Amino acid sequence: MNDTDLLQLFGYNDNFMKMLEKEYNSVISVRGSNLIIKGSSQEIRTIEKVFDELVYTFKRKGTINETDLAAAIQTIEPTETSQNNDKLQEENAIYWGVKDLVKARNQRQIEYYNKVLNKDVVFAIGPAGTGKTFLAVAMALNALKNNEIERIILSRPAVEAGESLGFLPGDLKEKIDPYLRPLTDALFYMLNPEKTRSLMDKNIIEIIPLAYMRGRTLNSSFIILDEAQNATITQMKMFLTRLGINSKAIITGDITQIDLPSKTHCGLINAQKVLKKIPGIDFVYFDKRDVVRHKLVADIIDAYEKFDATVTKKQLRTK
């Protein structure tokens, strides 16, 4: 095939390659007239079959489009990918990652999943270890895979444990990376690092500090604000008003872990009061019974809650 034919096969601006990357876990790139696929041997064979079908269609029609690509994907023989799709039909299944199936594991997580399916903005509030962020990333990846949205935006306030970015070593990227690491960890688990970096290089996935979202309008996006208890009221309003056409947002946080100088400035606490009656916005609340990490995590949370309650009672008696 000549260069003009290859351009049609790969799609304008390699658009077909981007569609295939959403469909499969492999990293797909083009160098000159060479197609490079990095992934499992079984999935590579599947993608090769898709291209064989595209070449056949092109030779028959003289042109190909997105519909032809979708048809090629559907006509390939059953493989590991189609088996994974079957598993995705399991009850409460959300996304099939490179390691395993991500699914809602308890009643609260099922409630969370259903609310995100039916609402454009969902607040998930509760302690660490309940799966708030992990499931949010899985739901975003599933929406991307199903072409429901065009990109994923993950964000966090750069405020934690009393630290200041100005006192941390390194350039801006090195200062910010530790705050955003939990988001990349979730992506690496479900996609693998190479696939994640490939999608980030193409701006299909963005991971940015909350302050960097000012002035943007995010259309056809799945937007996640993590650790939202550390967003101020002004920042929370700014984040929520970034929402564009055909977009969803999940806001996660734990109001017992606020690192702001004053809790009265907490945007997450304020949002519960201001937004609770707006149609299209919903809240789901987790507690220590919903923890899905190590069994000791729930006991640790319970111990701290009892200790805080005791301290509060003592303070009230002394007033």
Side-chain angles (χ1 to χ4, degrees):
M1 301 179 75
N2 59 40
D3 289 345
T4 303
D5 293 343
L6 287 172
L7 179 62
Q8 288 219 44
L9 190 63
F10 297 150
Y12 179 71
N13 283 338
D14 299 333
N15 188 47
F16 292 168
M17 302 304 99
K18 296 173 183 176
M19 289 178 63
L20 284 167
E21 279 210 312
K22 291 180 182 180
E23 185 71 26
Y24 302 105
N25 290 316
S26 299
V27 176
I28 306 169
S29 58
V30 178
R31 292 182 186 171
S33 60
N34 296 318
L35 179 70
I36 300 170
I37 308 171
K38 297 180 180 179
S40 68
S41 58
Q42 199 164 15
E43 192 168 84
I44 289 173
R45 288 194 296 271
T46 299
I47 296 170
E48 287 174 343
K49 289 180 181 180
V50 170
F51 272 95
D52 288 342
E53 185 70 21
L54 282 179
V55 170
Y56 170 78
T57 303
F58 177 76
K59 289 179 177 179
R60 181 167 50 87
K61 294 174 51 181
T63 183
I64 50 176
N65 54 35
E66 292 183 2
T67 302
D68 295 322
L69 177 57
I73 292 171
Q74 291 177 357
T75 56
I76 58 174
E77 296 177 6
T79 62
E80 180 183 25
T81 302
S82 62
Q83 291 169 5
N84 290 347
N85 287 338
D86 289 340
K87 290 184 179 180
L88 279 173
Q89 302 307 314
E90 293 179 15
E91 187 178 5
N92 309 321
I94 298 173
Y95 182 77
W96 184 270
V98 293
K99 294 187 178 181
D100 57 16
L101 176 66
V102 179
K103 60 184 297 184
R105 296 171 59 184
N106 56 44
Q107 194 58 45
R108 194 72 67 202
Q109 289 188 354
I110 294 170
E111 177 191 353
Y112 182 24
Y113 180 38
N114 288 331
K115 285 185 175 181
V116 173
L117 288 177
N118 294 295
K119 302 288 185 176
D120 286 336
V121 176
V122 173
F123 288 79
I125 301 171
T130 50
K132 304 184 302 295
T133 303
F134 190 74
L135 290 183
V137 172
M139 288 185 270
L141 288 172
N142 189 53
L144 181 67
K145 188 181 182 72
N146 292 333
N147 294 313
E148 296 168 12
I149 45 100
E150 295 177 1
R151 57 182 171 169
I152 297 171
I153 313 291
L154 308 173
S155 186
R156 269 187 161 202
V159 178
E160 286 195 22
E163 297 176 351
S164 169
L165 287 176
F167 291 99
L168 295 175
D171 59 21
L172 181 62
K173 183 180 183 303
E174 291 171 326
K175 292 173 186 287
I176 289 170
D177 277 351
Y179 293 99
L180 305 180
R181 180 55 60 86
L183 298 173
T184 55
D185 285 347
L187 288 168
F188 289 170
Y189 183 89
M190 292 179 228
L191 288 178
N192 76 42
E194 190 172 31
K195 174 75 170 183
T196 300
R197 282 189 283 268
S198 174
L199 293 176
M200 290 176 68
D201 288 343
K202 297 169 184 175
N203 287 324
I204 294 173
I205 294 178
E206 285 187 66
I207 306 179
I208 56 176
L210 177 58
Y212 284 51
M213 296 186 68
R214 187 175 299 278
R216 300 182 65 181
T217 299
L218 302 173
N219 295 320
S220 194
S221 301
F222 202 119
I223 316 157
I224 299 170
L225 176 60
D226 192 37
E227 297 291 337
Q229 75 275 3
N230 289 328
T232 65
I233 295 173
T234 301
Q235 287 176 323
M236 180 64 73
K237 180 181 177 182
M238 180 272 291
F239 172 82
L240 292 171
T241 53
R242 301 309 94 201
L243 200 66
I245 297 169
N246 191 41
S247 290
K248 278 183 177 285
I250 296 178
I251 300 92
T252 71
D254 178 2
I255 56 176
T256 69
Q257 298 292 324
I258 298 171
D259 296 313
L260 294 169
S262 172
K263 291 185 179 182
T264 59
H265 296 150
C266 175
L268 185 58
I269 291 177
N270 178 260
Q272 294 178 85
K273 302 172 184 176
V274 175
L275 306 175
K276 62 183 179 181
K277 294 183 179 180
I278 296 181
I281 297 179
D282 213 336
F283 293 80
V284 57
Y285 294 92
F286 295 85
D287 60 34
K288 59 180 178 289
R289 293 169 296 181
D290 304 312
V291 170
V292 291
R293 288 183 185 170
H294 193 290
K295 62 182 181 180
L296 280 176
V297 173
D299 294 335
I300 292 168
I301 293 170
D302 185 50
Y304 273 101
E305 286 179 351
K306 289 178 180 177
F307 177 80
D308 290 342
T310 301
V311 171
T312 301
K313 287 180 180 178
K314 288 181 178 179
Q315 290 174 340
L316 289 173
R317 291 195 195 103
T318 57
K319 287 183 180 181

